[in-house]
Structure formats: structure tokens, C-alpha cells
Amino acid sequence: MSDATAPNNFLHNIIADDVAAGLHQNVVTRFPPEPNGYLHIGHAKSIVLNFSLAQAFKGQCNLRFDDTNPEKESQEYVDSIKRDVNWLGYDWAGEVRFTSDYFDQLHAWAVTLIEKGVAYVCDLSPEQAREYRGSLTSSGTNSPYRDRSVEENLELFERMRRGEFDEGSCALRAKIDMASPNMNLRDPILYRIKKVVHHHTGDKWCIYPSYDFAHGQSDAIEGITHSICTLEFADHRPLYDWFLTQLPVPAKPRQYEFGRLNLNYTVTSKRKLKALVDGNFVDGWDDPRMPTISGMRRRGVTPAALRKFCEMIGVTKSDGVVDVAMLEHAIRDDLDKNAPRAMCVLRPLKVTLTNLADNHEELISAPGHPHRDDLGERLFPFAQTVYIDRDDFRVEANKKYKRLVLGKRVRLRHAYVIEAEDYVADEQGNIVEVKARIIENTIGLDPEDGVKPKGVIQWVSATKHASFKVRLYDRLFNCESPDADDDYTVHLNPESLLELDGCVGEIGLAEAQVEHAYQFEREGYFCRDNSAAELVFNRTIGLRDVWENKA
């Protein structure tokens, strides 16, 4: 797990001080996503932070769905979020919680605010309410409905609950201060009418609490000690505290804010990600190019790499932009240490070894990983005919070309040195076959005649191998700040996906497990796709950063 106790984590220090002062017997945090989309890399930071802090203090972290906006929410999103949290390596305390579990209590507390004279039903239209609210430079104006009696407000709110009013015709608002410099305190909405079936409560309700009203009270019901939010909620904290002060809540949680995760070459707005899905710019929320957790999982990113990345970027009190190269470094570092090796030929070219018999077959062994004895050995056949990559043969080449050249030698990785003698071309002049000979006694040894090979290339037996499709994924956007323009889709990278059919690899790859990572030697890191019926490998990331020179 990533280390939430790192010295640069100011939230850890706050909790440690609270525990030392005896303010809390048990630390309770929560991860409260809205089920209106799939989680993305920014949510991963929040998940790691909340769960790791709870672990560090032997406390608990709840998973609570903020499901107060039913027209945008669904069970599909609920299920995907639960999978993502588990996949990252975390288990929430007790059962999954929903804000909608507390709707009865929230409604009762709304009635309490009306009875105290600090909430009222307002008949202003949404457009009028915005006008009355004022601006950052001018005070708001009191609603003409602000001074309704308690009795009238109770009656109107009950009629709202019974569904007697149309959507948008009225709302329950808190009575705070329309002149406050903090816009969130200018009589915020507590309940609005939404005649929508809820994914969790069905048609029981036609009024729903606002997030601001539900947030702190749900925290209080669950006994949350430290309510950790991203920085955009800092201006909402006075409202969070106001509700807790006004109501007979069972606990008094405290809200703290940290800087959210922003990545360059990426958009993390759920609204924009949903637009990419709905507009068919990508193949669903789990498209391996998406910054969603499910997309990264399908691409082959590991939970350990994401947790390590979250540790690397730390926890700060200000927003900033993190270079996506840091995420890619964490992914490469994890896969380099843990992914078993295999050989793959993406663009096969037939090579016939003329001094071997037609039925020749011998087994070649190679380590599963150059530095991991626990990954054992792998065996694959060597026959008269093998495949090499088309880019690994030239009829003529300069001295910088370290692969197979007519009349020259190269080593087949883990196997023999071979020398190219001839080639066959089709009517269009395309090379379709290379004829070569092996140099005897060169497995692990240099040729006895002293003529060394120019380089090493990968190969695959033409008789016994795995056949599959490969998807070469790259960054979804080719612009460092795609959000800088209103139409961020103009910055989509047209080379973010290249599909290759007819690829071949070591025979053992035919049994590859879904999402199991490999390093295809010289090509990059790949994993078996988790949604394709056929054998498909997705490129997780290349062996080196090719974007550094593009910037």
C-alpha cells in the first residue's frame, strides 16, 4: 500500500495531533463518490488518501455513495466504483453506504430548520434565484418569500414532498445571509423537486437534498472524524459547519481540503469524459486510453503502480498540474520489476533456416524475468522456419543498423546466430521471405570463426506460436493542456490507437490470463484485454518515454 504517513502529508499530521490530544478514540474517514460516472485518476488519489489514513491510525474508511442527483446516477456506476476501490486494494468498513439511506433523517432535519425559522420555501424560478443571488462584487437580495411563517413553510414543504408542485417551481432554502461575501451562504438550496425514479430508493421521493445539505449530516450520522475533500470545497466549509451547528447531529466531523490531482495531456472532468463516451470518441468508459481507473486496469496498469504514483505526488494544500510522465514512470518501474518477459513479433516476416531439416524442433529456454528467479524459466520451440519483425531485415543498411542484413549476421534472442543468404519478394517488390543459415554451436556462445553478430532480434517459431491482435495505445490527447480550449476534442491524438492483426508470440502467451502483464522484449509492456472474446493484447506503455522529445 502507498504510505499515507509520508512527511509531506499534512493531513496525517492533523489527525496525529487530534489523536494525541484525545479528541478521537477511533479515526473514521470516508470516500464519497457520486455514482454519475466511472472513477478516474483523480479519484484514485482520494481513495488512496482516505483509506491509507484510516489504516495508518487503525481506524476505518467508509464507502458512501453521494446519490442525491438521481437523473444522472445509475447502478452501473455504483457497481463500477465498488470494483475500482477493491481493485486498488482496499476494503471499506461494513456495508456500502448511500446518502439515500439517510433521506428520512435528512428530511426530518430539514423540518427542524423550518421550525427554527432558518429555512423557507422559495417560489423564485431558477433564473430569478440566480439574479437575486448577486455576484462576487455585489450583495444578493432577499427573496420576497423569505419571511413566510413557519406554519406556511411547513405546509409548503409537505406539499413539495407529496409531489403537488412542478419541478423548478419552488425549493427549500436555508435562511443565512444574502449579503455574505461567501456566495455559498446566500440562502443555499436544501431541497429541490426532481420527479425522477432513484436507482436506490425507487419512487419514494420526489424531493432530493442538495449535496451541501446532505454532506455534513451524512458524515455526522456515520461518525466521520475527518471529512477530507478537494480544494474546491474550501468555500463550502462555513456552510458545512453552519448545518452541524444548527442541527442535533450525533457527531461533529471536521472538513479538511487538499489539492486535487490534475494531469497534463489529460481531462478529468466526468462531464467531459462522459461526452467522449457518448460522442463515440472512445470505446466506452473503460477504453484503455481513458484516465478512468477501469480504463487503466484494462490497459494493464497495476494497482501497485497507481498507489505508488499517489505516494510520489504527495498531498498538498494547493492545486497544481502533475506531469503525466511521472505516472508513466511509476507504471514502467512497477512493470519492469514484476512483468515476466516474452517475445512477440508484431509484423511477421518469414525466415527459413536452410541448414536445418524440415522437421527440426528443439526447445529453447529463457528466464521468465532477468532478475526474478521466482518467475522461473520459459520454454519455446525452435524450428526450421521462424518469424522476425519486418523492420528487422534490410537488403542493404549502414553501420548504424544493428539488425539482420543480407550477407550479415544477427543473433536470435536466446538462440542461434544466423546469417542472411537470400530473400524472396512478391510481384510488388515486397519481401515475403528471408533465407538464412544458423551458425552451429552459438546458443549462448559467439561463433567459432570470430565473426560476431551485429545485434540481437526477437523471433517466434512459425510452427508453434500464439496468434493474436495487438492494440498499440498512446496518450489520448496530443496537447499538454487540452482543457485550455472550449472544444477539447480538437486535441485528440489521431495516433492514440493503432490495431495490428496477425501478430505472433511465444506459445505460452496463448494461455495468458486476463489483465496479466508481460514485457514483450524490445516492444513494451502489454496485457491481455479483459473484454475481447479473441486473444488481444493491449500495450500498456512503451519501454521508454517517446514524448519527451515531442514536448
Side-chain angles (χ1 to χ4, degrees):
M1 300 295 176
S2 59
D3 187 3
T5 66
N8 65 342
N9 188 337
F10 73 95
L11 291 168
H12 175 273
N13 297 333
I14 289 173
I15 298 175
D17 290 343
D18 288 349
V19 171
L23 296 179
H24 305 292
Q25 296 299 313
N26 185 40
V27 171
V28 185
T29 62
R30 85 287 177 269
F31 175 60
E34 182 180 359
N36 64 348
Y38 282 55
L39 300 183
H40 55 64
I41 181 68
H43 296 110
K45 178 180 179 180
S46 181
I47 293 169
V48 171
L49 177 60
N50 278 287
F51 279 91
S52 295
L53 283 170
Q55 289 174 349
F57 292 95
K58 296 181 173 57
Q60 69 179 62
C61 183
N62 297 345
L63 174 61
R64 180 177 75 238
F65 288 96
D66 164 37
D67 54 349
T68 59
N69 203 11
E71 67 263 62
K72 295 183 178 180
E73 299 162 359
S74 74
Q75 188 63 40
E76 174 192 354
Y77 298 142
V78 169
D79 294 340
S80 73
I81 291 169
K82 289 161 61 178
R83 284 195 303 269
D84 289 346
V85 173
N86 281 152
W87 177 78
L88 271 173
Y90 299 107
D91 293 314
W92 49 85
E95 297 295 323
V96 171
R97 295 162 168 86
F98 296 85
T99 298
S100 56
D101 293 336
Y102 314 135
F103 278 177
D104 287 308
Q105 179 63 79
L106 292 170
H107 176 266
W109 279 337
V111 171
T112 297
L113 294 177
I114 295 174
E115 291 173 340
K116 291 182 65 174
V118 292
Y120 63 98
V121 174
C122 179
D123 293 346
L124 290 176
S125 68
E127 295 76 15
Q128 291 171 323
R130 281 192 290 270
E131 182 181 345
Y132 273 68
R133 195 171 183 227
S135 68
L136 293 173
T137 57
S138 63
S139 295
T141 303
N142 286 350
S143 165
Y145 309 100
R146 198 172 195 262
D147 295 324
R148 280 173 162 162
S149 69
V150 169
E151 292 72 23
E152 184 179 7
N153 283 316
L154 287 172
E155 179 189 358
L156 290 171
F157 187 51
E158 174 60 20
R159 292 177 64 189
M160 283 176 59
R161 188 192 66 81
R162 291 201 301 259
E164 295 183 17
F165 302 126
D166 294 333
E167 289 190 18
S169 62
C170 58
L172 182 68
R173 298 173 65 179
K175 188 187 296 185
I176 306 180
D177 183 4
M178 290 300 292
S180 172
N182 186 334
M183 300 283 284
N184 296 294
L185 297 178
R186 296 184 184 178
D187 290 11
I189 290 178
L190 306 183
Y191 269 87
R192 67 276 199 230
I193 300 169
K194 289 182 179 291
K195 296 185 177 181
V196 179
V197 175
H198 191 281
H199 71 92
H200 192 56
T201 61
D203 59 0
K204 177 179 178 179
W205 297 92
C206 63
I207 57 171
Y208 292 95
S210 65
Y211 175 79
D212 276 331
F213 181 56
H215 179 198
Q217 281 56 257
S218 298
D219 284 347
I221 291 170
E222 295 179 10
I224 302 300
T225 57
H226 299 81
S227 181
I228 299 168
C229 305
T230 46
L231 205 60
E232 64 264 32
F233 291 98
D235 288 341
H236 295 249
R237 193 190 331 156
L239 182 57
Y240 181 99
D241 293 339
W242 187 87
F243 286 128
L244 294 176
T245 301
Q246 293 289 332
L247 293 167
V249 291
K252 292 292 179 71
R254 289 287 304 277
Q255 177 179 307
Y256 300 92
E257 304 87 26
F258 69 97
R260 63 178 293 167
L261 170 58
N262 298 299
L263 280 178
N264 60 5
Y265 292 96
T266 310
V267 297
T268 52
S269 158
K270 275 198 283 190
R271 176 180 59 82
K272 293 180 178 180
L273 294 177
K274 187 174 188 301
L276 291 176
V277 174
D278 294 343
N280 295 317
F281 294 103
V282 294
D283 183 27
W285 285 96
D286 67 343
D287 186 302
R289 294 166 293 179
M290 290 277 274
T292 55
I293 295 176
S294 58
M296 289 185 285
R297 176 169 68 248
R298 185 177 168 194
R299 186 161 172 167
V301 177
T302 65
L306 279 187
R307 295 195 302 264
K308 179 64 175 178
F309 170 66
C310 292
E311 176 188 335
M312 290 165 59
I313 62 177
V315 182
T316 65
K317 296 182 181 181
S318 59
D319 285 335
V321 179
V322 176
D323 191 343
V324 71
M326 186 180 293
L327 171 62
E328 293 169 345
H329 169 76
I331 295 169
R332 280 194 191 92
D333 183 64
D334 179 74
L335 293 176
D336 177 57
K337 293 174 181 176
N338 298 298
R341 278 32 175 181
M343 287 192 293
C344 167
V345 175
L346 300 183
R347 301 167 182 85
L349 173 63
K350 180 181 177 182
V351 177
T352 300
L353 302 169
T354 57
N355 58 339
L356 291 180
D358 292 349
N359 62 351
H360 179 88
E361 180 173 298
E362 63 182 293
L363 285 178
I364 302 293
S365 68
H369 189 286
H371 309 296
R372 292 276 301 275
D373 292 342
D374 60 306
L375 293 180
E377 296 283 318
R378 62 192 207 267
L379 297 174
F380 39 87
F382 185 82
Q384 183 197 49
T385 307
V386 299
Y387 290 122
I388 65 172
D389 198 282
R390 290 189 175 277
D391 291 338
D392 284 346
F393 174 74
R394 293 183 184 176
V395 176
E396 297 178 342
N398 59 34
K399 292 183 179 180
K400 293 183 178 180
Y401 186 75
K402 301 298 183 182
R403 288 168 267 182
L404 187 60
V405 179
L406 192 63
K408 304 293 184 181
R409 294 179 179 181
V410 74
R411 180 179 294 279
L412 299 180
R413 184 155 174 78
H414 306 300
Y416 293 95
V417 172
I418 65 170
E419 182 175 308
E421 299 178 312
D422 199 1
Y423 67 93
V424 178
D426 61 17
E427 295 179 354
Q428 289 74 41
N430 301 310
I431 297 173
V432 296
E433 182 182 3
V434 176
K435 296 184 181 296
R437 66 185 182 94
I438 68 164
I439 308 302
E440 298 282 358
N441 302 316
T442 53
I443 294 182
L445 300 171
D446 286 332
E448 296 175 356
D449 60 11
V451 182
K452 294 183 178 180
K454 294 192 66 174
V456 180
I457 62 174
Q458 72 263 43
W459 60 277
V460 172
S461 169
T463 55
K464 292 183 180 179
H465 58 259
S467 298
F468 44 82
K469 178 190 292 185
V470 162
R471 298 186 181 125
L472 300 176
Y473 289 104
D474 205 344
R475 294 180 185 175
L476 184 57
F477 293 96
N478 56 19
C479 170
E480 188 170 352
S481 303
D483 270 341
D485 292 301
D486 291 337
D487 185 7
Y488 58 99
T489 62
V490 301
H491 299 300
L492 286 167
N493 179 11
E495 299 177 353
S496 63
L497 171 59
L498 175 63
E499 295 190 88
L500 301 176
D501 284 311
C503 304
V504 293
E506 291 179 20
I507 187 64
L509 292 174
E511 304 300 323
Q513 299 298 304
V514 165
E515 297 179 10
H516 190 80
Y518 292 88
Q519 185 196 100
F520 288 172
E521 297 179 3
R522 287 183 52 210
E523 296 292 353
Y525 297 99
F526 294 75
C527 79
R528 182 172 179 177
D529 189 85
N530 65 13
S531 64
E534 57 185 327
L535 189 59
V536 176
F537 283 91
N538 298 328
R539 182 173 66 184
T540 307
I541 199 166
L543 294 176
R544 59 189 61 84
D545 184 2
V546 298
W547 282 82
E548 184 177 1
N549 297 326
K550 295 182 182 181

